[in-house]
């Protein structure tokens, strides 16, 4: 027997395993085994997987993170097309400000926030954050991260965004 239980969001929480027990006549009498709460292990595994996917996708202009996947796009129009055609419900958007195809990261963030109001946005300007905010802005509550940045700083911004989403 192997039973896996998920919570209401689809997250794995419990694993039960056991062997069948037979009575003296050889008839099934139940199972003997164990039950484990594995939600912490699953959460840590998901975080590690997400970080590796994010770092792999950093060569793109846009990362679209949903509940269970990370998608990349090279431009704003590509990101919007991907979200619409793949029916992605983004929870976190990480975007450069300057991108090809004429759409800025702030334009993309505003468009996605209109489609998915709960999506948290992280914007990466190449120039100063103050200069960016004077000329254009992302949606209210956007998180800004100044380039260049370390993996640790990026991880902190993702943790901040994930806390707001949850």
């Amino acid at each position: 027997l192997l039973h896996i239980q998920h919570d209401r969001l689809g997250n794995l929480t419990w694993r039960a395993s056991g062997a069948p027990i037979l009575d003296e006549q050889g008839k099934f009498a139940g199972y003997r085994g164990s039950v484990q709460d594995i939600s912490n292990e699953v959460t840590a595994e998901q975080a590690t997987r997400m970080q590796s996917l994010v770092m792999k996708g950093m060569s793109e202009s846009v990362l679209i993170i949903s509940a269970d996947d990370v998608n990349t796009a090279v431009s704003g129009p590509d990101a919007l097309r991907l979200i619409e055609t793949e029916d992605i419900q983004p929870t976190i958007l990480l975007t450069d400000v300057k991108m090809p195809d004429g759409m800025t990261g702030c334009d993309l963030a505003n468009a996605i926030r209109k489609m998915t109001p709960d999506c948290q946005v992280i914007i990466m300007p190449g120039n100063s954050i103050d200069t960016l905010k004077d000329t254009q802005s992302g949606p209210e509550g956007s998180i800004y991260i100044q380039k260049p940045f370390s993996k640790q700083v990026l991880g902190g911004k993702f943790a901040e965004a994930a806390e707001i989403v949850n």
Side-chain angles (χ1 to χ4, degrees):
L1 162 74
L2 176 62
H3 172 73
I4 298 173
Q5 180 176 333
H6 296 82
D7 66 11
R8 63 183 179 78
L9 299 175
N11 298 314
L12 189 61
T13 56
W14 293 93
R15 177 177 52 214
S17 63
I21 299 173
L22 306 176
D23 65 14
E24 286 129 16
Q25 288 81 31
K27 293 188 179 190
F28 176 74
Y31 289 99
R32 177 175 296 134
S34 65
V35 175
Q36 293 177 295
D37 176 356
I38 59 170
S39 52
N40 288 339
E41 290 88 349
V42 170
T43 301
E45 182 181 308
Q46 288 171 337
T48 301
R49 180 177 169 270
M50 192 67 71
Q51 183 177 17
S52 113
L53 287 170
V54 165
M55 294 315 293
K56 181 180 173 185
M58 286 304 296
S59 62
E60 303 291 342
S61 295
V62 181
L63 287 176
I64 305 160
I65 301 171
S66 59
D68 57 359
D69 204 3
V70 176
N71 294 279
T72 62
V74 295
S75 68
D78 281 347
L80 291 173
R81 195 170 22 259
L82 181 67
I83 289 168
E84 290 170 4
T85 60
E86 299 296 324
D87 195 29
I88 296 169
Q89 297 298 312
T91 55
I92 299 175
L93 170 73
L94 175 69
T95 181
D96 274 327
V97 173
K98 294 181 181 178
M99 296 187 293
D101 292 342
M103 179 181 259
T104 70
C106 292
D107 295 338
L108 173 63
N110 286 312
I112 289 178
R113 185 66 74 77
K114 284 179 186 169
M115 295 180 339
T116 312
D118 293 333
C119 180
Q120 186 55 47
V121 175
I122 304 172
I123 298 174
M124 305 178 296
N127 298 324
S128 90
I129 292 170
D130 292 332
T131 302
L132 171 68
K133 288 181 180 179
D134 288 342
T135 59
Q136 56 184 314
S137 63
E140 184 177 334
S142 293
I143 297 169
Y144 294 86
I145 180 172
Q146 181 69 52
K147 290 182 194 176
F149 48 81
S150 66
K151 289 180 185 179
Q152 291 77 17
V153 170
L154 179 61
K157 296 296 183 181
F158 272 107
E160 183 182 338
E163 189 174 300
I164 294 168
V165 168
N166 294 327

